[in-house]
Each structure stands twice: as C-alpha cells, then as structure tokens.
C-alpha cells in the first residue's frame, strides 16, 4: 500500500478552506471535488482611519465556492460571490429528482443556510437560495432520515447558537425560506462537532451521533413516539454519552473488530488549537463504549475516514493533521491498518502536507482508492493522494 501525492491546485481562489465534498457531478463515474471556504483573514495594512483596505481588496477577488472536474482537475466556479462565508455542508437531493444539490451553512457571524441547485451542466452557475436563517455558525450539516419517517432531513449543529436541529424538506423546497414548521430542535445549550445518522444498534431505526453523544427518539412500549420519555434532551429525544471530556470531535462509524456490531471512532479535530491537550484518536466498543486509544499526541486531526485500504476485508482508520502555519512541516497522515479482531498497526503515509476534512473515494470508478483533501489556512492548497494496494507498506514509512 503506497500513497503518491498530487497537487491539484496550489493557488485556490479562497483563503481559509473548509468545505470538502467529493461528488460525481459530471456523471462519468468519477468523483469531482467541491471546495468552499470563508475567505482570507484581514491583512494588517490599513489606512488612516484603520480600515483594512488592502485586505478588503483581496477579499473581493476571492471566489468562495468552486469545484474541480475529474479527470484533469479543471476548476469551475459554483458562485462568483466573494462574500460567502462557507463552513459546513452536505450534498442533498432536496427535490427528489435524483440530482444532488449542495447545502452549506455560514461561519461565525453568519446565519444563512444556502441551497445551491445543480444545473443540467454543473459547469454553469448554480442557482442560490437561502433556505433558513435561524441560527449562527453551522459547523456540520448532513442529510439523512433522522426521525425515521422514511424521508431524509437536513440535520445540523450550530455552535454559536448552541443548538442541534433538523429541517424537514417542505413539499415545495422552492418555498424559501423553508416554513417554520419544518424546523425541529433536538437539543439546546450544546456546542457540538461531528454528525452521523446511522442505525447504530441494528434495530431498524436510525440514531443520531452528534459530538460524543447518541441521540435517540423517545418511544413508548408500543413503539410510538412518547410525549415524555424520561431523560429527554428535548421533547422527543434521549441523549446517551459515548465519551466525556473529548473536544471538537470528528466521527466515523463501522464494524472495526468483525463482531457484527458498529463501533464509533472519534478524533479531536481542533485540539490542541481550541483545547488544552493534544488531539486524541480512539475507537469505542459497544455496548459499554469501551475506549481504545490509538494516539493522544496529534495536532488537530480534522480528517477521519474509515475504508478498507489494503484489501484485507477489514476497515482501516485514516487520520490526518492540519497545519495552521505552525505544524505544516510536521503534519502527518496516518493509517491505522486493521489486521482483524480490533488490532491495528500504525503507518505514517505522508509528512509535510497538511490537510483538513479530507475524504476517501473511488477515484476512477474501478475501485481505486484515493484521498481528496485541502488545507485550511493560511497556506491553502488542494490535493489528492492515490493509493496502490499492491505495494507493501512498512511501519513508519510510505
């Protein structure tokens, strides 16, 4: 298993890149890559009144939402706006016509959730609509059937408003903003990172993993939604902690020890930047959520993916560090290779190319695994790592 690096774009048109969404936009069975962000920080050159005129000028030149076409990685603009403040996002078929659109939320200071509708030719400009403006700073958005009614919902976390919520898609999604009755608040006074909608216990109903908590709908003995479910985080939801004391987590779910049950993996994606300790990565084994710590000394491991990278039938754990100008030369990409039964061997597969929210994809539609990612700030770049399963990987090397 050998990783080779390709620089897709060494000068993307936006600083502080956040969004990283692979999606086959051109219908050629190859994933393209959508990238978005919220612009460069203000430059320290000001006029007499203290206005950051140079920084403001460069912000106006930026394009904050764009995509790269696979193969070739030609860049296309989704929106020409330089004032978009893109943070979390997800792909969603809100019109139920089989064509995915992009839903993104704004960063701190912004309240809007945008729906960008994909045109027949994705190389053309995408239609933009504001579907909601109820909260501030949407770090994570996902699309899935969180309330088990048979239809997917838009699920999100608002860190600044400290709310966990979802929106039902209205009968007419073009009726924007979406009506108030579409909104359900699951929990309040919580600042969460990481979302996953999944049938965690195999009972046929989805649960919601948000941060390090599991949220389940409260049900009575007959299986209907209970008006009062006891220890309920909101009216219809019970919160169960998987772990405590973990900060700013990314989450992934899969059967790691081949026991037929789903385990949960957390990585502290913003530690130590926003915390008081180095970032940890661990997997947690149900039903008691026993932790198995793989590393506790990483710098902002904001990439967390599960995939069988070596073809041995077991899910491996892929983790990568951010740079943030202090860790660029040391930023590592790690594969915890699953040898079966919950045993892992660590391999360092890249050093010196930081990334953020990278995703593992089938790059050519023929089962060839690759990692698509981009840095966060201040040195911005978009990258691919191609994986050759046939080349042996030695521990600590590439």
């Amino acid at each position: 298993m050998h990783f080779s690096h390709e620089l897709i774009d060494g000068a993307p048109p936006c600083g502080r890149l956040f969004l990283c969404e692979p999606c086959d936009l051109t219908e050629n069975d190859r994933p393209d890559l959508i990238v978005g962000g919220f612009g460069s920080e203000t430059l320290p050159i000001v006029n007499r009144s203290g206005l950051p005129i140079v920084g403001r000028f460069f912000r106006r030149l930026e394009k904050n939402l764009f995509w790269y076409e696979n193969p070739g990685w030609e860049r296309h603009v989704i929106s020409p706006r330089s004032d978009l403040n893109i943070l979390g996002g997800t792909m969603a078929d809100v019109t139920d016509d089989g064509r995915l659109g992009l839903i993104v939320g704004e960063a701190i200071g912004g309240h809007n959730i945008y729906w960008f509708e994909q045109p027949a030719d994705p190389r053309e400009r995408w239609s933009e609509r504001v579907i909601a403006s109820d909260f501030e700073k949407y770090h994570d958005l996902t699309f899935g059937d969180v309330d088990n009614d048979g239809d997917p919902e838009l699920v999100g976390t608002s860190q600044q408003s400290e709310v966990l919520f979802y929106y039902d898609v209205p009968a007419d999604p073009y009726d924007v903003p979406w009506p108030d009755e579409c909104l359900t608040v699951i929990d309040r006074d919580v600042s969460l990172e990481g979302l996953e909608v999944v049938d965690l216990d195999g009972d046929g109903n989805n649960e919601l993993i948000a941060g390090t908590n599991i949220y389940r709908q409260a049900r009575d003995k007959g299986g209907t939604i209970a008006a009062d479910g006891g220890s309920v985080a909101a009216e219809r939801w019970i919160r169960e902690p998987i772990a405590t004391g973990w900060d700013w987590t990314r989450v992934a779910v899969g059967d790691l020890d081949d026991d037929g049950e789903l385990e949960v993996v957390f990585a502290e994606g913003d530690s130590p930047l926003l915390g008081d300790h180095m970032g940890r990565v661990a997997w947690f084994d149900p039903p008691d959520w026993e932790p198995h710590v793989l590393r506790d000394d990483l710098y902002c491991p904001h990439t967390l993916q599960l995939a069988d990278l070596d073809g041995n039938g077991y899910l491996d754990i892929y983790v990568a560090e951010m740079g943030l100008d202090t860790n660029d030369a040391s930023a590592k990409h790690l594969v915890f290779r699953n040898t079966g039964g919950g045993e892992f061997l660590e391999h360092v597969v890249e050093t010196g190319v930081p990334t953020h929210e990278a995703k593992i994809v089938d790059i050519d539609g023929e089962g060839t695994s690759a990692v698509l990612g981009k840095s966060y700030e201040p040195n911005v770049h978009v990258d691919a790592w191609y994986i050759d399963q046939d080349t042996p990987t030695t521990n600590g090397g590439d």
Side-chain angles (χ1 to χ4, degrees), residues 184-213:
T184 297
V185 173
I186 297 173
D187 204 358
R188 294 187 183 273
D189 301 319
V190 287
S191 184
L192 303 170
E193 243 181 66
L195 287 177
E196 189 81 21
V197 177
V198 61
D199 181 3
L200 192 58
D201 52 17
D203 67 351
N205 291 310
N206 286 329
E207 284 77 39
L208 172 62
I209 301 176
T212 57
N213 306 292

Side-chain angles (χ1 to χ4, degrees), residues 245-257:
W246 282 65
D247 303 321
W248 316 110
T249 49
R250 312 314 297 151
V251 60
V253 178
D255 184 1
L256 298 177
D257 55 6

Side-chain angles (χ1 to χ4, degrees), residues 152-305:
E153 292 80 35
L154 175 63
V155 189
T157 62
S158 169
Q159 290 179 324
Q160 195 69 12
S161 301
E162 298 187 325
V163 173
L164 176 65
F165 62 89
Y166 70 86
Y167 291 94
D168 290 293
V169 179
D172 179 7
Y174 296 100
D175 179 16
V176 295
W178 289 353
D180 291 343
E181 57 266 25
C182 293
L183 171 64
T184 297
V185 173
I186 297 173
D187 204 358
R188 294 187 183 273
D189 301 319
V190 287
S191 184
L192 303 170
E193 243 181 66
L195 287 177
E196 189 81 21
V197 177
V198 61
D199 181 3
L200 192 58
D201 52 17
D203 67 351
N205 291 310
N206 286 329
E207 284 77 39
L208 172 62
I209 301 176
T212 57
N213 306 292
I214 303 169
Y215 287 86
R216 292 186 171 93
Q217 289 175 290
R219 298 179 180 272
D220 62 21
K221 293 181 179 179
T224 59
I225 301 297
D228 183 2
S231 178
V232 182
E235 183 180 357
R236 300 166 55 210
W237 297 83
I238 298 172
R239 182 176 63 211
E240 171 194 342
I242 295 176
T244 57
W246 282 65
D247 303 321
W248 316 110
T249 49
R250 312 314 297 151
V251 60
V253 178
D255 184 1
L256 298 177
D257 55 6
D258 203 33
D259 63 354
E261 297 182 322
L262 295 179
E263 283 73 45
V264 177
V265 188
F266 292 130
E268 292 179 302
D270 291 312
S271 291
L273 181 67
L274 301 180
D276 58 5
H277 58 266
M278 297 298 288
R280 294 172 289 181
V281 177
W283 61 280
F284 294 79
D285 199 10
D288 298 325
W289 303 116
E290 177 186 0
H292 301 267
V293 177
L294 299 172
R295 286 288 291 262
D296 61 2
D297 60 347
L298 298 179
Y299 184 87
C300 298
H302 213 288
T303 290
L304 174 63
Q305 295 280 283

